[in-house]
Amino acid sequence: MTRTWTLLAAVIAVWSAWSPAKADDASMAAAQELVDYTLGKTTDDMISKMETAIWSNLETAFPRTTDAATIAEMHTEFDTIVRKYVAQAMKIAPTIYSQHFTTDELKGLLAFYKTPLGDKMLAEMPKVMGDFTTTAMVPMMAPMQSEIKASLETIMRKQGTTK
């Protein structure tokens, strides 16, 4: 549970500390069109996958005596909050895209995503990322965190900052 809250706090801190640079109007217009087309088609799937991963961790922390109606109410509130922050993040996406791609590249990406292969990629990527997260990343999180903790503690002991 603590790891989930720490991760959420870190994501929120990065979002709030980030100050986007201004892009030219043509680049921003192309980036907005690309975001509207691509992320508009995948946002619900992305939110669903993210919520499933986070909710399952949160749910294990609820007291066993929590009734189904309370859990349903909490899940609805959780969904509302997640969607609010994703919507805020989506407003930043065009600026990020315009910082990494030229106007012509953005137009080329949009043209690709409007092809049958691009459309399939948009449909499949949330599933691919969900599979990647659950199959590759989740099993590695605990051993990675343990190794990082042990390594950092070793360095701190060497430096005399901890026992």
Side-chain angles (χ1 to χ4, degrees):
M1 174 84 167
T2 303
R3 282 185 282 176
T4 302
W5 290 118
T6 302
L7 176 62
L8 284 173
V11 168
I12 291 167
V14 169
W15 279 343
S16 59
W18 184 70
S19 176
K22 296 290 181 197
D24 66 72
D25 290 343
S27 180
M28 282 300 293
Q32 186 65 57
E33 187 177 359
L34 179 64
V35 167
D36 290 345
Y37 188 82
T38 59
L39 297 181
K41 289 185 169 214
T42 61
T43 300
D44 281 338
D45 282 342
M46 177 184 70
I47 290 171
S48 176
K49 299 289 187 204
M50 183 174 69
E51 283 188 356
T52 298
I54 296 170
W55 183 256
S56 62
N57 285 333
L58 289 176
E59 203 169 25
T60 61
F62 300 155
R64 294 186 190 273
T65 56
T66 307
D67 62 87
T70 301
I71 290 174
E73 182 181 351
M74 289 189 298
H75 194 266
T76 299
E77 184 67 12
F78 171 76
D79 179 66
T80 300
I81 292 167
V82 168
R83 287 180 184 281
K84 176 179 86 172
Y85 283 96
V86 168
Q88 288 176 9
M90 295 291 282
K91 292 176 184 175
I92 298 168
T95 301
I96 295 169
Y97 274 73
S98 69
Q99 290 172 341
H100 291 273
F101 299 98
T102 67
T103 302
D104 287 341
E105 289 169 338
L106 291 163
K107 289 177 181 179
L109 286 168
L110 182 60
F112 164 73
Y113 283 118
K114 289 183 174 182
T115 67
L117 179 58
D119 196 49
K120 180 176 182 178
M121 185 170 175
L122 290 174
E124 293 300 317
M125 280 312 291
K127 298 170 195 164
V128 168
M129 293 309 296
D131 289 348
F132 176 75
T133 300
T134 58
T135 304
M137 294 304 295
V138 170
M140 292 180 198
M141 292 306 284
M144 180 180 71
Q145 288 173 341
S146 294
E147 185 174 339
I148 290 170
K149 182 180 180 214
S151 293
L152 297 180
E153 287 173 349
T154 299
I155 292 169
M156 290 172 63
R157 276 192 299 278
K158 254 196 306 190
Q159 298 299 322
T161 57
T162 191
K163 295 181 182 181

